[in-house]
């Protein structure tokens, strides 16, 4: 397993950790640890958004690659 694989899945399109889990088959706890490290270093942006499922609206985090700084 590699955190780099998780970084490779990210793009400028928002994605949830559950979607990353489906793509990579990594455990959610490992994905969260990698994402937390990348958010801390500024490589990934974490944004809280409203989402709706069968139980109603809720807040979730989505992740995108951070814009490259010049």
């Amino acid at each position: 397993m590699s955190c780099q694989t998780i970084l490779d899945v990210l793009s400028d399109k928002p994605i949830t950790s559950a979607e990353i889990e489906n793509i990579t088959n990594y455990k959610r706890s490992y994905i969260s640890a990698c994402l937390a490290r990348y958010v801390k270093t500024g490589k990934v942006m974490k944004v809280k958004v409203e989402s709706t499922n069968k139980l109603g609206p809720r807040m979730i985090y989505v992740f995108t690659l951070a814009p490259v700084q010049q």
Side-chain angles (χ1 to χ4, degrees):
M1 286 198 278
S2 168
C3 284
Q4 182 62 43
T5 303
I6 294 168
L7 191 62
D8 292 342
V9 169
L10 297 172
S11 67
D12 58 348
K13 179 182 174 225
I15 189 170
T16 65
S17 59
E19 293 169 325
I20 296 171
E21 182 180 30
N22 290 336
I23 293 169
T24 62
N25 291 323
Y26 289 174
K27 297 273 187 212
R28 189 93 51 101
S29 58
Y30 181 76
I31 293 168
S32 295
C34 290
L35 288 171
R37 187 175 85 185
Y38 286 136
V39 167
K40 197 174 197 177
T41 61
K43 291 182 179 181
V44 173
M45 291 177 34
K46 176 181 177 181
V47 179
K48 197 174 201 178
V49 297
E50 188 173 327
S51 178
T52 304
N53 63 9
K54 62 184 176 187
L55 300 175
R58 62 191 180 111
M59 299 302 285
I60 62 169
Y61 287 107
V62 294
F63 302 90
T64 59
L65 285 175
V68 177
Q69 296 180 352
Q70 299 293 328

